[in-house]
Amino acid sequence: MKKIKVSLFYPAGDVSKPITYHLVKDFDLVINILHADISLNKMGKLVLDIEGEEENIEKGLKFIDEIGIKYKMFTKSIIWQEDDCVHCGACTAVCPSNALKMDKTEWNLTFEQEKCLVCELCVKSCPLNVMCVSL
Amino acid sequence: MAYKSFDEINEKIKSGKAVVVTADEIVDIVEEKGISKAAKEIDVVTTATFGPMCSSGMFINFGHSDPPIRMNKVWLNDVPAYAGIAAVDAYIGATELSETKGMEYGGAHVIEDLIAGKDIKLYAESYGTDCYPRKEISTYINKENINQAYMFNPRNAYQNYNAATNSSDRILYTYMGTLLPQYGNITYSTSGQLSPLLNDPTYRTIGIGTRVFIGGAQGYVAWEGTQHNPGQTRGENGVPVGSAGTLALIGDIKMMDKRFIRAAVYEKYGISMFVGIGIPIPILDEEMLKFTAVKDSEIFTNIYDYSVPNRARPVLKTVSYAELRSGNIELNGKSVSTAPMSSLKKAREIADILKQQIINGEFLLTQPVSAIPAANKMNRLDVRGVENEKD
């Protein structure tokens, strides 16, 4: 079993096929939608965690490609240098997926790597420069 | 209850009998025991804040070189410092930018590095005088080889502040953080019920000469802060709704700790500095206890639209800090997520340290030498001059 994180970029026109359905049904993949921004007749974006046999993941990605949807694998990740963090919360203002959140009792910053979309907004918004991108 | 004087409270501190709690703890104590009983039992309530405060900086004296120089232009790690004072005195402001690194490094970083014990490159120029012949100097300084280095912050510890949002279609980069388009978020900056001036709303005990915790050292309130605005609209509890009183603070850089002074860079805005401040409030009587028992649900601020480029921005909504802390505010029928800019965790740490220092007899209270103004007029800057004259 393998797990990948991938962004799908929908073209502005009609996408007739129910993509996630086919990924699950035809390729036996476990899909977790992390982020979706899709409206009719507009360019859209879908961020997915895809889990399954390596061979099936490859087939699934080929299927996505063939129906005209571009995709990009997540290769980078965000690293939180916790020791240097003052827990101000500035990064939580911009995090679109709630991967970065304030714990409401201790008012610590918490970071859930699995929810992270690697949008890098936190990197720029951190006044202490403690969020960085791993290559 | 009878009035307790500063002297009586200090005697209790010296004999190890003072009862000290934080401005967070007092909320529950009052709920349990009531104001009267709590006021009798408790001697001191500690308050604190740890937020970005741009109006901060440091005076420094380098000592004289041989031959001596009357420095008239000074750079510290390529960050310009103001040298229009005596020969080897300078002032470096927290927000000053490096001439080589721009927004990556500035005055606040110089201060943080100096506190951390690092060597700082000093470069200075002079026109040369009969008594100060040297015209240029390049050397390294650190906190061991300089004379005085003290923080002098013209405006710290704002008594309440605006919350910010953005109605426009583009991201705004501000000192209130990154504001996402179309009311994408709301940011606020306070330690709320733990914040010094929100616990002494009428400046009864905090005034000129008040000893404070600043950046890990003991410092003092030097004056009212710039833009001190006691006349701000206030609620029934006396707590201002929006920015009001401010303090000018002074403290010895050499005694500070990097944990409580941190340089900050706000994307496309510039540099600021997190300043850790703690102020003890003596419970002189029931009124002071009542003031310190204020809680987030009783402290209000206004949400402003920062995309309006005018001095008078419209108020979108007035909300309590309890609502802001909840993580969401309803604005125009939509739930908008909220985020803090100031660290409550660090503020609590400071309030606890100050409490412990007072319990241990290491920090005594001072009665203000003079009060800071309880009323004044805030002026605005009008654009005048020949081209602007109408008549």
Side-chain angles (χ1 to χ4, degrees), chain A residues 83-95 102 104-109 121 124-128 130, chain B residues 50 171 178 180 185 187-188 258 262-267 274 325-327 339-346 348:
Chain A
D83 288 349
D84 231 17
C85 179
V86 296
H87 304 265
C88 65
C91 58
T92 66
V94 296
C95 181
M102 297 308 285
K104 296 269 163 53
T105 31
E106 296 299 320
W107 290 89
N108 279 316
L109 178 68
L121 279 172
K124 287 180 169 184
S125 73
C126 172
L128 278 88
V130 304
Chain B
F50 186 89
I171 290 185
T178 306
L180 300 175
N185 55 7
T187 60
Y188 61 97
K258 200 190 139 171
R262 295 296 300 275
V265 178
Y266 289 93
E267 173 81 1
F274 279 96
R325 289 250 172 245
S326 77
M341 291 289 118
S342 133
S343 173
L344 184 55
K345 180 187 163 76
K346 294 287 282 187
R348 284 178 175 169

Side-chain angles (χ1 to χ4, degrees), chain B residues 4-122:
Chain B
K4 253 185 279 179
S5 70
F6 276 82
D7 286 343
E8 286 170 72
I9 292 171
N10 274 337
E11 284 312 313
K12 287 180 99 173
I13 295 171
K14 284 182 205 158
S15 61
K17 287 178 185 152
V19 179
V20 188
V21 301
T22 71
D24 268 343
E25 292 164 341
I26 193 72
V27 174
D28 290 340
I29 294 172
V30 165
E31 264 167 29
E32 187 194 322
K33 298 185 170 177
I35 299 238
S36 259
K37 196 159 178 240
K40 276 193 205 109
E41 287 177 17
I42 290 158
D43 301 303
V44 183
V45 172
T46 61
T47 66
T49 184
F50 186 89
M53 305 186 201
C54 291
S55 201
S56 300
M58 164 179 75
F59 279 105
I60 187 165
N61 178 284
F62 303 112
H64 288 284
S65 58
D66 191 21
I69 178 169
R70 207 236 77 89
M71 300 175 182
N72 72 312
K73 283 194 169 163
V74 167
W75 290 260
L76 293 168
N77 282 352
D78 297 339
V79 181
Y82 180 75
I85 34 181
V88 291
D89 284 338
Y91 182 82
I92 185 157
T95 68
E96 189 71 52
L97 304 181
S98 158
E99 287 187 349
T100 50
K101 290 181 180 164
M103 274 192 199
E104 266 176 52
Y105 191 92
H109 297 88
V110 171
I111 294 169
E112 186 187 299
D113 283 346
L114 191 74
I115 291 170
K118 290 185 188 168
D119 268 341
I120 310 278
K121 189 177 85 185
L122 163 67

